[in-house]
Amino acid sequence: MTEVVRLAAELGVDAVYANRDPDPFGREVEKRMAAALERDGRKLLLFKDLAMHERDEVMTGAGTSFRVFTPYSRAWQ
């Protein structure tokens, strides 16, 4: 992470573009990197990549996450 921030400064870029990481560890790294870049006057811009659907794109009718796979897969399709 620190190398990305250092390289962004060295290159004088305004933003770092990356693919969003769906797992909790990756999201935590993204938060820290965004904060470090922001302190340096830069932005971290994240985009969809690994997942077919983001965690908040396929929800139940009540707007919550599915707990059972079959209804999720029907909604997903």
Side-chain angles (χ1 to χ4, degrees):
M1 175 185 76
T2 55
E3 289 300 310
V4 172
V5 175
R6 183 192 60 75
L7 183 59
E10 184 179 310
L11 296 174
V13 299
D14 295 325
V16 172
Y17 294 75
N19 293 328
R20 213 176 350 261
D21 195 327
D23 71 68
F25 175 79
R27 289 194 309 268
E28 182 59 35
V29 170
E30 290 165 353
K31 283 182 193 177
R32 292 193 331 254
M33 187 178 305
L37 286 166
E38 190 173 314
R39 284 191 298 273
D40 208 25
R42 301 174 208 297
K43 295 181 183 179
L44 176 62
L45 303 173
L46 299 171
F47 298 89
K48 186 175 177 176
D49 180 38
L50 296 174
M52 179 68 73
H53 296 287
E54 297 282 345
R55 67 178 43 224
D56 61 350
E57 287 183 328
V58 181
M59 306 299 277
T60 67
T64 60
S65 297
F66 283 92
R67 296 186 158 281
V68 179
F69 180 74
T70 303
Y72 167 78
S73 69
R74 286 189 198 121
W76 186 97
Q77 293 175 4

